[in-house]
Amino acid sequence: MQHALLIHYIAAGSILVPITLSLVKFGKLTFPLKLLSTYLFLTMVLDIIVIFLARQGINNLFLFHLHTVLEVTAISLIYLQWFSNRRLWKIIIGTFVLLFSVFAVIDVVFIEGVHTFNSYPRGIAAVYFLSLCVALFLQMLSTLNVRQLERSSLFWINTGILIYAPGTLFLFIVSNYTLGNTDDQYWIIHSILNLLLNLSFATAIWINSKI
Amino acid sequence: MDQFENINLPFLVLAGTLTLIILAMSIIFFVLVYQKRLIRQKSQIQEYKINRQQKLLQATINGQEQERKRIAKELHDDIGAMLSTIRLYVDEEGENSARIKEFIDLGISSIRRIAQNLMPAVLEEFGLENALRDLFSNVEDMSMNVNLNYDIPDELDQEVELTIFRISQELLNNTIKHSGADSIELSLTFINSRIEIVYKDNGKGLNTKMDHQIKNGFGLKNIESRVHALGGIVNFRSEDQAGFLATIILENG
């Protein structure tokens, strides 16, 4: 279990890599990457509060409800900058974010409650991110405006989210049910995926390309 | 809760997660491969279009040259010969002959000049270097300082030779008509199987509104078309009162 703990710590700390890079390059970053950096910074602040509350023995799950709404809004805003038919996507994404926020509130009040892990909103968010990633890849293939994908910030962000979102989907959905004594081992999957996500964000910030 | 107790939930979560991760990676792999293939296809189509355009342009220029050759031949052989015959008769008639002879001589030399411009016989018979020296010797008569540096092999492709000659003709015409220059320099060098042509004059350059019309006019566009038809590169540079510079790079054949 020592190894598992180490992986958890490394994954949690990996957010510092894209944040440090964005602090170094913030002035030169493109607008979507500035949004991403701001989101990562807020996530880090929430993570610190989560750890602090856990150490104090206070239930910190209400913060996850907040983070999910923040995550959906931030990722939506970032992706909106990249879609070419901006008007149509504004309507689609705006409607989704609104409905999702309402559902998140309903989940807190009527379904899972504020002190339970928000598995349903998380599951829905994962499917939503997956759809955004696929839609953006389809757009990239139809416009062919990126010649070298590996040198595109958009590609790295999309890749990171595309692996993270489906990879964590089942974990989030069943997280409120017991997985027996294998619980921790399953959260290692989340930590590894989180580490990959942060590294792909760091690569995107490092590349700092317009698309 | 109860319904989950009967099934192996950890196994399902693991299998589902792995399946989705593999699926996501497959999508990324597909996008990477397919995007590269699409870009390759797109550039192939673009290359094909450029090649086709180049061939069309070359065909147009060739047609133009053939037509020039035919007109030059007819001017020289038919009208030129006819005027020479008339001149003979005028000599025999005697009355007002001197004046008529003068006009006929003018007509004959005009026809020779036009025919020579349309299709320089010296290019076909004595090669590019002599044709260029011949072309520039006419300008030297106008008390212009001409410096021709010719350093390329004799065996040049015929189309390339003709293109170089036409370009030089066009540039020289521009200098005479618009620049007010008194010195011209033409250098032809052979570097790594490429021909580099550098043309310079010390005229007023192309900076006024009228000069822009020259810049966008038929002459320089014609040079661009001829160079592009052979897949070459052309660059014109000019500053106010600082002369005109044209650099052209052509592949031989």
Side-chain angles (χ1 to χ4, degrees), chain B residues 58 112 125 198 210 238 248:
Chain B
Q58 190 61 56
R112 275 196 192 137
E125 286 167 28
V198 181
M210 204 187 111
S238 178
I248 295 144

Short mmCIF file of all heavy atoms in Angstrom, two decimals, chain B residues 58 112 125 198 210 238 248:
data_model
loop_
_atom_site.label_atom_id
_atom_site.label_comp_id
_atom_site.label_asym_id
_atom_site.label_seq_id
_atom_site.Cartn_x
_atom_site.Cartn_y
_atom_site.Cartn_z
N GLN B 58 2.91 26.70 -69.48
CA GLN B 58 3.98 26.40 -70.43
C GLN B 58 3.42 26.23 -71.85
O GLN B 58 4.00 26.72 -72.81
CB GLN B 58 4.70 25.10 -69.98
CG GLN B 58 5.98 24.81 -70.74
CD GLN B 58 7.03 25.92 -70.56
OE1 GLN B 58 7.40 26.26 -69.44
NE2 GLN B 58 7.48 26.51 -71.65
N ARG B 112 12.57 44.05 -90.24
CA ARG B 112 13.67 43.23 -89.69
C ARG B 112 13.70 43.32 -88.16
O ARG B 112 13.86 42.32 -87.46
CB ARG B 112 15.00 43.70 -90.26
CG ARG B 112 15.28 43.06 -91.61
CD ARG B 112 16.75 43.23 -91.97
NE ARG B 112 16.94 42.87 -93.38
CZ ARG B 112 17.68 43.53 -94.22
NH1 ARG B 112 18.29 44.61 -93.82
NH2 ARG B 112 17.81 43.13 -95.46
N GLU B 125 20.40 30.30 -83.92
CA GLU B 125 21.59 29.95 -84.69
C GLU B 125 22.88 29.99 -83.88
O GLU B 125 23.74 29.13 -84.03
CB GLU B 125 21.70 30.88 -85.91
CG GLU B 125 20.68 30.53 -86.98
CD GLU B 125 20.56 31.62 -88.04
OE1 GLU B 125 21.55 32.33 -88.26
OE2 GLU B 125 19.46 31.74 -88.62
N VAL B 198 20.73 37.59 -62.30
CA VAL B 198 20.59 38.83 -61.52
C VAL B 198 20.67 40.01 -62.48
O VAL B 198 21.64 40.16 -63.21
CB VAL B 198 21.69 38.93 -60.43
CG1 VAL B 198 21.53 40.21 -59.62
CG2 VAL B 198 21.66 37.72 -59.52
N MET B 210 2.79 55.64 -60.59
CA MET B 210 2.89 55.10 -61.95
C MET B 210 3.80 53.88 -61.98
O MET B 210 3.56 52.91 -62.68
CB MET B 210 3.41 56.17 -62.89
CG MET B 210 3.02 55.94 -64.34
SD MET B 210 3.85 57.11 -65.37
CE MET B 210 4.97 56.05 -66.22
N SER B 238 13.01 46.95 -55.40
CA SER B 238 13.26 48.29 -55.90
C SER B 238 12.99 49.30 -54.81
O SER B 238 11.99 49.20 -54.10
CB SER B 238 12.35 48.55 -57.08
OG SER B 238 12.54 49.84 -57.54
N ILE B 248 16.36 35.92 -60.38
CA ILE B 248 15.56 34.80 -60.89
C ILE B 248 16.38 33.52 -60.79
O ILE B 248 17.58 33.51 -61.12
CB ILE B 248 15.16 35.06 -62.36
CG1 ILE B 248 14.22 36.27 -62.42
CG2 ILE B 248 14.48 33.84 -62.97
CD1 ILE B 248 14.41 37.12 -63.61
#
